[in-house]
Amino acid sequence: MHEFGLRIHIFADIFLLMNKIILILLSFFCFTPTQAQINEIGLFVGGSNFIGDVGATTYIKPNSPAIGLLYKWNKTPRHSWRFSYIQSKLTAKDIESDDPSRQLRNYEFENTVKEISAGIEFNFFDFDINNPLERKLTPYVFTGLSMSFYDSLFYKFGKPEQDSKEKTLALPIILGVKSNLTSNFVIGLEIGTRFTFADDLDGSLPKNKLEIPFGNFNNNDWYVFSGLTLTYTFGNKPCFCAE
């Protein structure tokens, strides 16, 4: 019950944060003049961890490599449209949990997730990187919508089995900080939580109703990507000077 209450509380906090972010972005877009754009393309390299009914409940604990591609279309020094593809193998083991009942159950699983995301990245400070002599640093937040592709699992004699190929929508919240290395390269460090609309990534709520479900039926699966981004900027250089 304590774990369930904690997850509901965190879920509510995330949605309140999303609402605040959306309001900030909407008000920002209404009063920000459109500028020329510049493009960014690059890599995400890091790790993933799973939060669900199997394994540990530590919220940030990468235990499997993750890699991906991302593209940004910078409309202003404050906001960008961001698109990404990231994939990783999600792994979790009950033996690594602090919950004695999970340790006794001793389930474990692996599931490959492939995620496509699109949304808005908002910089807290102006991030015009066209002056190579000026070092820029800003925290940023990303929110949008993701589509995650994965294998639906179920347990048979305590072992995970693949049922079918599935997909689910997910809500990403990414917090990070970035800086320009040169006039063409930007490096970032970010942590992103994905709340999915599925509960069978770990096999706890099988699609096949003949299989036995377990765990908390009122809480869906989460996963987290943590890592570094490195992007290369190209295209038309924007002019942010007064006309």
Side-chain angles (χ1 to χ4, degrees):
M1 290 295 295
H2 175 71
E3 181 183 339
F4 172 67
L6 179 62
R7 289 189 181 181
I8 290 297
H9 178 70
I10 294 175
F11 175 71
D13 287 346
I14 286 178
F15 268 87
L16 287 175
L17 177 61
M18 286 187 65
N19 289 334
K20 291 180 180 179
I21 292 170
I22 291 171
L23 288 175
I24 291 172
L25 293 176
L26 287 176
S27 62
F28 177 80
F29 294 157
C30 290
F31 298 103
T32 301
T34 301
Q35 306 282 0
Q37 68 275 2
I38 190 172
N39 304 284
E40 290 183 48
I41 189 168
L43 296 173
F44 170 89
V45 179
S48 68
N49 65 279
F50 176 79
I51 307 167
D53 294 303
V54 177
T57 54
T58 306
Y59 290 98
I60 302 174
K61 189 179 181 181
N63 59 8
S64 188
I67 190 167
L69 300 172
L70 59 90
Y71 167 77
K72 300 179 187 181
W73 183 40
N74 298 317
K75 286 289 290 181
T76 75
R78 282 293 187 94
H79 81 279
S80 308
W81 297 107
R82 169 171 164 164
F83 307 87
S84 66
Y85 170 84
I86 302 176
Q87 74 174 54
S88 180
K89 182 176 290 185
L90 301 179
T91 66
K93 298 179 179 180
D94 279 344
I95 197 65
E96 297 176 351
S97 173
D98 295 329
D99 186 342
S101 63
R102 293 195 180 192
Q103 293 177 4
L104 182 63
R105 184 181 61 192
N106 199 25
Y107 278 2
E108 63 180 77
F109 79 94
E110 291 184 355
N111 200 342
T112 298
V113 63
K114 300 177 181 179
E115 176 197 272
I116 300 172
S117 294
I120 301 171
E121 183 175 293
F122 176 78
N123 301 323
F124 286 86
F125 308 126
D126 281 354
F127 195 71
D128 177 12
I129 61 172
N130 293 294
N131 183 355
L133 301 179
E134 183 178 0
R135 182 72 62 189
K136 291 288 186 177
L137 178 72
T138 182
Y140 63 89
V141 62
F142 169 86
T143 187
L145 197 62
S146 298
M147 179 67 75
S148 303
F149 301 86
Y150 66 98
D151 295 325
S152 179
L153 301 178
F154 67 94
Y155 282 81
K156 186 174 183 179
F157 303 115
K159 301 295 182 181
E161 301 283 346
Q162 181 180 332
D163 188 2
S164 59
K165 298 288 185 181
E166 298 290 341
K167 58 182 179 293
T168 181
L169 291 175
L171 299 177
I173 289 289
I174 297 175
L175 299 175
V177 61
K178 61 185 176 181
S179 179
N180 58 317
L181 295 175
T182 68
S183 60
N184 290 105
F185 285 96
V186 178
I187 190 169
L189 173 65
E190 64 181 39
I191 299 172
T193 300
R194 278 73 168 175
F195 173 79
T196 76
F197 290 89
D199 198 16
D200 58 336
L201 276 78
D202 58 2
S204 62
L205 190 63
K207 298 291 186 184
N208 188 341
K209 302 303 181 183
L210 298 177
E211 306 298 336
I212 300 175
F214 62 90
N216 183 355
F217 304 152
N218 297 311
N219 193 61
N220 290 338
D221 294 330
W222 305 48
Y223 61 90
V224 180
F225 288 145
S226 309
L228 294 171
T229 64
L230 179 65
T231 57
Y232 174 77
T233 65
F234 65 97
N236 296 328
K237 301 293 184 181
C239 177
F240 301 122
C241 54
E243 295 182 358

